[in-house]
Every structure is written in structure tokens, then in C-alpha cells.
Amino acid sequence: MKNTAPLHRAIWKQKKWKMLLAASILTAGVAPAMFMPTVAEAATTTKPMAYINNMPAQYDVVIRQGVTYIALTELQFLGDYTFGYDNKSKQISIKTGSDQYVLTPNSKTIKKNGQNATLSSVPILVKGKAMLPLRAIGETFGAQVRWNQAAKEAYIYTTNTSIVKDYNGSDLTAAREAALQLPRLSSFGQPRLQVKNPLGPVDSSTAYIFEQGQKDRFFVIEDNDLVSYYTITNGNAMLKWQANLGKQAGTIGDLFFIKTKSVAEAGTRPSVAGKTLVSFKYSRMLEETAYDMMNKKGSLESGSATPTKGKVIVEVPGEK
């Protein structure tokens, strides 16, 4: 199974339609009585969120009696899963590769390739959608699951050994690309900030900024609206700081590459004082990546190059 980083929104759109189709299959013909929740949702002032291989969950996350659930179709982000629903038996089938799973809402029993296993919590139906408990996803499908209680955020991810190998290798370009693919977690005591003014699939843009010669920390700027800073520890990219950018010209600390003031910040703001940075921005229209090596005084070297298909990061000659 492969990690999916939020680099390519075209892939996200394709998966979204697959998930919608799968959801329609799962809900077709389900008896109305099964739609009714049997337990009241837990009261919370923070809407829970889930990120599956770095992709935000499409459907609402549900918390019931201390158990956190996500929609079954979110498994699409963990691998190539297909779904089916048997209206007669009220059973849901899940297939990936040579493995086939069969489960029934409100039952802890799940079959894997015909063999019974027991889940820690029962799957449920909410408004016609099959929901799986987080722990069951880890137990059954081999995913790693983390829960940030303060932020009410779940992180569900799989480890891609080839990405880890690239990150630990000596090729800086490949290592940086791998860094962007690693699981992104947060230790914030609040939900992470979101893009307030998305530009849409055509005009959307994302820039990735690393320190010169480095791979273990980077900034992500989405739609000139949200900047996030990650540091990599133990194979994961941990979110350390975020800011929503406003329209008013200005600066944020010594982050010289940002030209506007912030309207909101979270986490601990990093410092790039005395650093040289390298920025990468991929153009879908041109199918190339523009790069810029810069410091506080301005641009030192800029240009563009065609990355390997499906990649964003390119080699910057001036870094050698």
C-alpha cells in the first residue's frame, strides 16, 4: 500500500468520485430502521477530523461513547479497496488485492478470507453510511492510528518502505520528495488551521520550501493563504506551526519569504534567521517546477525544470 500526499489535487478528485460511487453502493437498499442511531453523539465543542494518508476525511467523523468512527469508504486512501453491499444479508464486503473482508453493522465479527475475527468495537451505520472504529482499522487493515485528543484529530496512515528508503538515502532531491510523502501529524492543542480562501482546482497552488541542503524540515504554502511548518522525527512529519495569511503587506517574524501579515497563527513560530532557503512550485499547465534559492537579501538563483512524472521536487544546480 502507498501513502498519498496532498500534492496532486487531480488524484484527490478522482478518488472523491470513486468514494461517492462506493458510498452509493453501500447505502443502496439498507432498511430505514438501520439508519437510526442507537446512542447519542458525544457533545463536543470541536468538530472531530480525520486524515487518512494525509488526505482529510470526506465525511464527518463520529464519536460515540468515547469511540471514534470514520466512514468505511475513507479506506480508499489506504489502498485500492472496492466495496459491495448485500441487501439480503445486510453484509458489507471489502476487497483489496487477494484479501476479502465481510462485516455486518452492529456486529464485532468480521471475516477475512473466510476466517472469523473479532473487532474491539462494532461498525455502525450513520445516515446510511457504514462507519468503522479507528482501532478496528488498525487491527484489521494494518494501518497505524493516532488520536490527538486536544485537537480532536485522528491520523490514519500506512508506511511505504520505498518512501522511507528514499528519505534516508543520499539523493537530496529524492529525499525531499519523500519528506513530502511522509505521514503528517500534529501535536497542537487545537485543530489545525485550514485554507480560508481556496482558489479552486484550476488556480490552486502549493509551494514547498526547504533550508538549503536540508530535507528534515519544510514549509508548505497553500493558495497563498495558509503556511504550515513541519519537522521530521521518527519517520513522521510533525506539524509545528501554521499561519493564515492576510492581504495586508507585512512580515511574520524573520520569515522573509512571506510578504503579508498573518490573521491567525497556531503552534510555535520557527526562525530562518541567517538561512538560505529553496522554494519549489509545480505548474500543472507547464508540467514543470519553478525553483528559487533565496535569502533575506533576495533571490540567489531561480529557474525551472521538469520533474520526474508524479513528482514535484527537482535538482537545484546552485545547491551543489
Side-chain angles (χ1 to χ4, degrees):
M1 297 182 184
K2 296 182 179 180
N3 277 356
T4 306
L7 307 181
H8 315 292
R9 298 192 182 188
I11 295 176
W12 154 241
K13 290 180 68 178
Q14 291 175 3
K15 286 183 176 288
K16 180 178 179 181
W17 286 112
K18 286 176 66 180
M19 291 168 66
L20 289 171
L21 177 61
S24 66
I25 292 172
L26 290 176
T27 58
V30 179
M34 297 185 71
F35 292 0
M36 300 301 292
T38 56
V39 183
E41 280 193 38
T44 177
T45 57
T46 300
K47 182 179 179 180
M49 284 288 294
Y51 297 88
I52 306 94
N53 274 347
N54 295 335
M55 298 299 299
Q58 180 186 6
Y59 298 107
D60 286 346
V61 175
V62 173
I63 299 178
R64 300 271 179 87
Q65 292 185 325
V67 178
T68 305
Y69 297 84
I70 66 167
L72 172 64
T73 47
E74 310 287 12
L75 289 178
Q76 287 284 357
F77 295 127
L78 291 179
D80 187 17
Y81 289 87
T82 57
F83 307 93
Y85 180 74
D86 187 323
N87 189 45
K88 184 176 180 179
S89 65
K90 309 301 182 188
Q91 290 183 327
I92 296 165
S93 61
I94 310 165
K95 188 173 183 180
T96 177
S98 60
D99 292 328
Q100 183 162 349
Y101 305 83
V102 178
L103 58 86
T104 305
N106 299 315
S107 171
K108 287 187 177 182
T109 300
I110 184 171
K111 287 186 177 182
K112 178 181 180 181
N113 301 327
Q115 299 296 314
N116 285 345
T118 302
L119 301 174
S120 56
S121 301
V122 299
I124 60 175
L125 286 171
V126 177
K127 297 180 181 179
K129 292 192 294 289
M131 310 288 288
L132 287 181
L134 287 183
R135 186 174 175 184
I137 293 173
E139 294 170 341
T140 308
F141 301 102
Q144 297 186 63
V145 178
R146 295 195 183 187
W147 173 251
N148 180 337
Q149 175 63 27
K152 295 292 190 295
E153 290 182 352
Y155 315 108
I156 306 157
Y157 55 95
T158 51
T159 300
N160 187 312
T161 55
S162 64
I163 289 176
V164 174
K165 182 179 179 180
D166 283 346
Y167 178 75
N168 290 326
S170 59
D171 185 327
L172 181 61
T173 300
R176 283 173 168 171
E177 187 73 44
L180 302 181
Q181 305 278 346
L182 292 173
R184 298 184 186 179
L185 315 179
S186 170
S187 59
F188 282 2
Q190 65 176 69
R192 66 181 71 188
L193 303 179
Q194 303 292 333
V195 175
K196 291 182 176 294
N197 299 294
L199 296 178
V202 176
D203 300 321
S204 64
S205 66
T206 306
Y208 305 93
I209 302 174
F210 291 82
E211 291 182 20
Q212 182 182 21
Q214 302 299 316
K215 63 181 181 180
D216 61 350
R217 44 196 180 274
F218 60 90
F219 294 87
V220 180
I221 304 179
E222 301 174 70
D223 289 350
N224 297 315
D225 180 289
L226 176 67
V227 56
S228 305
Y229 177 68
Y230 295 87
T231 63
I232 295 174
T233 305
N234 299 324
N236 296 317
M238 187 64 70
L239 181 62
K240 296 294 187 178
W241 172 79
Q242 286 186 306
N244 281 118
L245 305 179
K247 302 298 183 182
Q248 186 178 0
T251 58
I252 304 177
D254 60 26
L255 305 179
F256 56 83
F257 58 92
I258 299 176
K259 307 301 182 183
T260 61
K261 293 183 178 181
S262 65
V263 294
E265 290 189 53
T268 302
R269 185 192 299 166
S271 170
V272 296
K275 304 289 186 180
T276 296
L277 305 178
V278 185
S279 171
F280 302 91
K281 189 173 182 180
Y282 178 75
S283 168
R284 295 189 195 90
M285 182 177 296
L286 299 176
E287 296 184 338
E288 63 181 24
T289 295
Y291 60 82
D292 185 17
M293 191 163 65
M294 55 190 169
N295 60 23
K296 188 175 181 180
K297 295 180 180 180
S299 179
L300 303 177
E301 179 179 351
S302 62
S304 63
T306 302
T308 303
K309 187 175 181 180
K311 308 294 185 181
V312 170
I313 305 301
V314 296
E315 183 178 313
V316 178
E319 280 198 274
K320 292 185 176 180

